[in-house]
Amino acid sequence: GKSSAIGIAAAKMMQTRKVEILVTAPSTSAIAPIFEHAQRQLGLEARITKHIVEKANGSSLRFIAPDELLSTLPDCDLLIVDEASAVPIPLLIQMTERYHRMVFSTTVHGYEGCGRGFTLKFTQWLQQHRAGWRSISLNQPIRWAEDDPVESWLFDAFLLDADLEKIYMPSEVDSQHFTLSRQNKNELVEDKALLKRCFGLLVNAHYQTTPNDLFQILNDSNVELWLTVADNSLVGVITVIREGNLSLDVISGIVSGKRRPKGHLVPASIANHLGFDEAAQQKSARVMRIAVHPEVQRQGVGAKMLSELHARVDGIQYLSTSFGATDELLRFWQENQYQVVRVGNTRDQAS
C-alpha cells in the first residue's frame, strides 16, 4: 500500500544522492512498512536499526515523533507524515509552516482510521496557503482483488464509505429554528440512508470514529443518538452515553484502583482521581461526540444543540463530557456552561 510505496520512493532518493529524510506518524507501528521496504530496496548497502536506515553515502531515513519534531525542529531534506489523518490539523499546519518539502500520506477509507476531516479541512487549508500542492491517490487494491465481493460487503456493512452529505443552506442560518430530537435506533437500523448520513457526519468531525463506534451506537442501550435536521438536511449529531448509578461495592473498587467499569468514564474518573464518590452514585450522561456539518459551523448550531440537550435529556443529576484538550475545544465547552473538574496529567495522543 501507500506506506510501502513511500519506503521504496525514499530508498530510490537515497540511492541517487545524499539526502536526509524524516518520517513522523502517530505511532511507530504505522510506519514499519516504510523502513522494511526502504531496507529491501537498498539491499545490503543499508544498515538498519529500529527506526533508522542509513546508507554509505551519508543518506538517512529516520523516524521522529510529532511532538519531538515540533519541539526540536531538526533540519531535513524531506519530511514524510504517515497516517496524517490521525495527526491533529493544528500540528499539520505547524509542520507545513516550518518545512517546505513534505509528503502527507493517509488512508481516506478503511480500517486504519477515517481521514475525511483531513481531506476536507487540511486540504482546504493547503489550497489557501500552499496552492502548488499536488494530490496523488492509490486506488488499485493491494491486499485483495479488484471488485472483491467480500471487501465490497465489508465496506457497505461497516459504513466505511460513509461520506459527508452535501447540503445547501443559506450563508447565514438561524440556529434558533433548529430542533434537536432523539433518534429511535430501531428505526435507524431500518433507514440505512439516514444511518449512513449520521455516520458520515461523525466520521468527518472525529477522525477517531471507527466501525466500533457504529456497533456501540446500535448495540448499547445506554447510548443515545440525537439529531438536528433542517430542510431535510442533517446538520448535527450528538451521541450520548448514560453513566453512573453505580453501587457502593463497585465504587469502592474504583476508588481503590481495582475496578474500572466499562462505559462509566467520567463517574469513575471523578471517584478515582478526586475521591468524590457521589458523582459515581448519581445518574449522569456524557456527550461522547458532537458533530456539526461544516456548511453551518461557527454559527451557533453546536451551542443550540447542547442547550436543547441540557433541557431535554431526563433522569440525570449532571451532564458531562471528556476530550483531548485544545484551546478551541476548551473555549467551546466553557462557553456552553461546562466547568473543568479534572485535567489529565499525560498528553492525549489525539490532541
PDB file of all heavy atoms in Angstrom, residues 202-216:
ATOM      1  N   LEU A 202     -20.295  12.040  11.624  1.00  0.00           N
ATOM      2  CA  LEU A 202     -19.418  11.728  12.754  1.00  0.00           C
ATOM      3  C   LEU A 202     -17.987  11.468  12.291  1.00  0.00           C
ATOM      4  O   LEU A 202     -17.029  11.905  12.927  1.00  0.00           O
ATOM      5  CB  LEU A 202     -19.945  10.504  13.512  1.00  0.00           C
ATOM      6  CG  LEU A 202     -21.229  10.716  14.316  1.00  0.00           C
ATOM      7  CD1 LEU A 202     -21.785   9.387  14.802  1.00  0.00           C
ATOM      8  CD2 LEU A 202     -20.956  11.631  15.516  1.00  0.00           C
ATOM      9  N   VAL A 203     -17.838  10.763  11.170  1.00  0.00           N
ATOM     10  CA  VAL A 203     -16.505  10.479  10.627  1.00  0.00           C
ATOM     11  C   VAL A 203     -15.803  11.771  10.247  1.00  0.00           C
ATOM     12  O   VAL A 203     -14.608  11.962  10.505  1.00  0.00           O
ATOM     13  CB  VAL A 203     -16.611   9.539   9.408  1.00  0.00           C
ATOM     14  CG1 VAL A 203     -15.299   9.500   8.631  1.00  0.00           C
ATOM     15  CG2 VAL A 203     -16.991   8.141   9.852  1.00  0.00           C
ATOM     16  N   ASN A 204     -16.526  12.698   9.628  1.00  0.00           N
ATOM     17  CA  ASN A 204     -15.935  13.972   9.220  1.00  0.00           C
ATOM     18  C   ASN A 204     -15.479  14.780  10.414  1.00  0.00           C
ATOM     19  O   ASN A 204     -14.432  15.421  10.388  1.00  0.00           O
ATOM     20  CB  ASN A 204     -16.942  14.776   8.410  1.00  0.00           C
ATOM     21  CG  ASN A 204     -16.450  16.177   8.123  1.00  0.00           C
ATOM     22  OD1 ASN A 204     -15.563  16.385   7.304  1.00  0.00           O
ATOM     23  ND2 ASN A 204     -17.008  17.155   8.819  1.00  0.00           N
ATOM     24  N   ALA A 205     -16.246  14.745  11.498  1.00  0.00           N
ATOM     25  CA  ALA A 205     -15.940  15.587  12.658  1.00  0.00           C
ATOM     26  C   ALA A 205     -14.870  14.976  13.551  1.00  0.00           C
ATOM     27  O   ALA A 205     -14.112  15.699  14.195  1.00  0.00           O
ATOM     28  CB  ALA A 205     -17.214  15.830  13.468  1.00  0.00           C
ATOM     29  N   HIS A 206     -14.795  13.653  13.614  1.00  0.00           N
ATOM     30  CA  HIS A 206     -13.889  12.982  14.551  1.00  0.00           C
ATOM     31  C   HIS A 206     -13.128  11.892  13.814  1.00  0.00           C
ATOM     32  O   HIS A 206     -13.695  10.847  13.503  1.00  0.00           O
ATOM     33  CB  HIS A 206     -14.666  12.373  15.718  1.00  0.00           C
ATOM     34  CG  HIS A 206     -15.408  13.369  16.548  1.00  0.00           C
ATOM     35  ND1 HIS A 206     -14.840  14.008  17.622  1.00  0.00           N
ATOM     36  CD2 HIS A 206     -16.660  13.854  16.443  1.00  0.00           C
ATOM     37  CE1 HIS A 206     -15.727  14.836  18.156  1.00  0.00           C
ATOM     38  NE2 HIS A 206     -16.841  14.759  17.459  1.00  0.00           N
ATOM     39  N   TYR A 207     -11.841  12.122  13.547  1.00  0.00           N
ATOM     40  CA  TYR A 207     -11.072  11.150  12.767  1.00  0.00           C
ATOM     41  C   TYR A 207     -10.915   9.829  13.500  1.00  0.00           C
ATOM     42  O   TYR A 207     -10.583   8.814  12.918  1.00  0.00           O
ATOM     43  CB  TYR A 207      -9.693  11.709  12.395  1.00  0.00           C
ATOM     44  CG  TYR A 207      -8.807  11.976  13.579  1.00  0.00           C
ATOM     45  CD1 TYR A 207      -8.068  10.961  14.159  1.00  0.00           C
ATOM     46  CD2 TYR A 207      -8.724  13.250  14.137  1.00  0.00           C
ATOM     47  CE1 TYR A 207      -7.270  11.191  15.252  1.00  0.00           C
ATOM     48  CE2 TYR A 207      -7.926  13.494  15.225  1.00  0.00           C
ATOM     49  CZ  TYR A 207      -7.198  12.473  15.785  1.00  0.00           C
ATOM     50  OH  TYR A 207      -6.420  12.707  16.871  1.00  0.00           O
ATOM     51  N   GLN A 208     -11.155   9.815  14.842  1.00  0.00           N
ATOM     52  CA  GLN A 208     -11.030   8.570  15.586  1.00  0.00           C
ATOM     53  C   GLN A 208     -12.278   7.697  15.473  1.00  0.00           C
ATOM     54  O   GLN A 208     -12.318   6.604  16.004  1.00  0.00           O
ATOM     55  CB  GLN A 208     -10.757   8.867  17.067  1.00  0.00           C
ATOM     56  CG  GLN A 208      -9.355   9.416  17.317  1.00  0.00           C
ATOM     57  CD  GLN A 208      -9.123   9.704  18.785  1.00  0.00           C
ATOM     58  OE1 GLN A 208      -9.872  10.448  19.409  1.00  0.00           O
ATOM     59  NE2 GLN A 208      -8.087   9.122  19.342  1.00  0.00           N
ATOM     60  N   THR A 209     -13.317   8.175  14.800  1.00  0.00           N
ATOM     61  CA  THR A 209     -14.530   7.385  14.627  1.00  0.00           C
ATOM     62  C   THR A 209     -14.225   6.136  13.807  1.00  0.00           C
ATOM     63  O   THR A 209     -13.628   6.214  12.736  1.00  0.00           O
ATOM     64  CB  THR A 209     -15.621   8.216  13.925  1.00  0.00           C
ATOM     65  OG1 THR A 209     -15.856   9.407  14.685  1.00  0.00           O
ATOM     66  CG2 THR A 209     -16.921   7.430  13.835  1.00  0.00           C
ATOM     67  N   THR A 210     -14.619   4.974  14.311  1.00  0.00           N
ATOM     68  CA  THR A 210     -14.327   3.685  13.664  1.00  0.00           C
ATOM     69  C   THR A 210     -15.603   2.849  13.624  1.00  0.00           C
ATOM     70  O   THR A 210     -16.621   3.204  14.233  1.00  0.00           O
ATOM     71  CB  THR A 210     -13.256   2.904  14.451  1.00  0.00           C
ATOM     72  OG1 THR A 210     -13.836   2.469  15.698  1.00  0.00           O
ATOM     73  CG2 THR A 210     -12.019   3.753  14.720  1.00  0.00           C
ATOM     74  N   PRO A 211     -15.564   1.694  12.939  1.00  0.00           N
ATOM     75  CA  PRO A 211     -16.728   0.801  12.969  1.00  0.00           C
ATOM     76  C   PRO A 211     -17.152   0.396  14.379  1.00  0.00           C
ATOM     77  O   PRO A 211     -18.326   0.114  14.609  1.00  0.00           O
ATOM     78  CB  PRO A 211     -16.249  -0.413  12.153  1.00  0.00           C
ATOM     79  CG  PRO A 211     -15.290   0.169  11.167  1.00  0.00           C
ATOM     80  CD  PRO A 211     -14.562   1.249  11.946  1.00  0.00           C
ATOM     81  N   ASN A 212     -16.221   0.376  15.332  1.00  0.00           N
ATOM     82  CA  ASN A 212     -16.599   0.060  16.715  1.00  0.00           C
ATOM     83  C   ASN A 212     -17.617   1.062  17.257  1.00  0.00           C
ATOM     84  O   ASN A 212     -18.488   0.712  18.055  1.00  0.00           O
ATOM     85  CB  ASN A 212     -15.357   0.050  17.622  1.00  0.00           C
ATOM     86  CG  ASN A 212     -14.492  -1.176  17.392  1.00  0.00           C
ATOM     87  OD1 ASN A 212     -14.997  -2.227  17.007  1.00  0.00           O
ATOM     88  ND2 ASN A 212     -13.204  -1.048  17.615  1.00  0.00           N
ATOM     89  N   ASP A 213     -17.489   2.324  16.841  1.00  0.00           N
ATOM     90  CA  ASP A 213     -18.464   3.331  17.263  1.00  0.00           C
ATOM     91  C   ASP A 213     -19.837   3.017  16.688  1.00  0.00           C
ATOM     92  O   ASP A 213     -20.859   3.236  17.345  1.00  0.00           O
ATOM     93  CB  ASP A 213     -18.009   4.725  16.829  1.00  0.00           C
ATOM     94  CG  ASP A 213     -16.743   5.161  17.522  1.00  0.00           C
ATOM     95  OD1 ASP A 213     -16.790   5.404  18.740  1.00  0.00           O
ATOM     96  OD2 ASP A 213     -15.696   5.236  16.858  1.00  0.00           O
ATOM     97  N   LEU A 214     -19.869   2.526  15.464  1.00  0.00           N
ATOM     98  CA  LEU A 214     -21.134   2.139  14.846  1.00  0.00           C
ATOM     99  C   LEU A 214     -21.784   1.008  15.641  1.00  0.00           C
ATOM    100  O   LEU A 214     -22.981   1.056  15.944  1.00  0.00           O
ATOM    101  CB  LEU A 214     -20.894   1.702  13.401  1.00  0.00           C
ATOM    102  CG  LEU A 214     -22.101   1.178  12.630  1.00  0.00           C
ATOM    103  CD1 LEU A 214     -23.136   2.267  12.443  1.00  0.00           C
ATOM    104  CD2 LEU A 214     -21.672   0.614  11.278  1.00  0.00           C
ATOM    105  N   PHE A 215     -20.983  -0.005  16.006  1.00  0.00           N
ATOM    106  CA  PHE A 215     -21.518  -1.118  16.787  1.00  0.00           C
ATOM    107  C   PHE A 215     -22.077  -0.621  18.122  1.00  0.00           C
ATOM    108  O   PHE A 215     -23.136  -1.041  18.566  1.00  0.00           O
ATOM    109  CB  PHE A 215     -20.428  -2.168  17.059  1.00  0.00           C
ATOM    110  CG  PHE A 215     -19.797  -2.735  15.823  1.00  0.00           C
ATOM    111  CD1 PHE A 215     -18.512  -3.250  15.868  1.00  0.00           C
ATOM    112  CD2 PHE A 215     -20.470  -2.758  14.618  1.00  0.00           C
ATOM    113  CE1 PHE A 215     -17.919  -3.774  14.730  1.00  0.00           C
ATOM    114  CE2 PHE A 215     -19.890  -3.273  13.475  1.00  0.00           C
ATOM    115  CZ  PHE A 215     -18.614  -3.790  13.536  1.00  0.00           C
ATOM    116  N   GLN A 216     -21.317   0.281  18.781  1.00  0.00           N
ATOM    117  CA  GLN A 216     -21.744   0.771  20.090  1.00  0.00           C
ATOM    118  C   GLN A 216     -23.045   1.566  19.990  1.00  0.00           C
ATOM    119  O   GLN A 216     -23.956   1.410  20.805  1.00  0.00           O
ATOM    120  CB  GLN A 216     -20.644   1.637  20.718  1.00  0.00           C
ATOM    121  CG  GLN A 216     -20.975   2.059  22.151  1.00  0.00           C
ATOM    122  CD  GLN A 216     -19.913   2.952  22.751  1.00  0.00           C
ATOM    123  OE1 GLN A 216     -19.199   3.658  22.043  1.00  0.00           O
ATOM    124  NE2 GLN A 216     -19.801   2.943  24.074  1.00  0.00           N
TER     125      GLN A 216
END
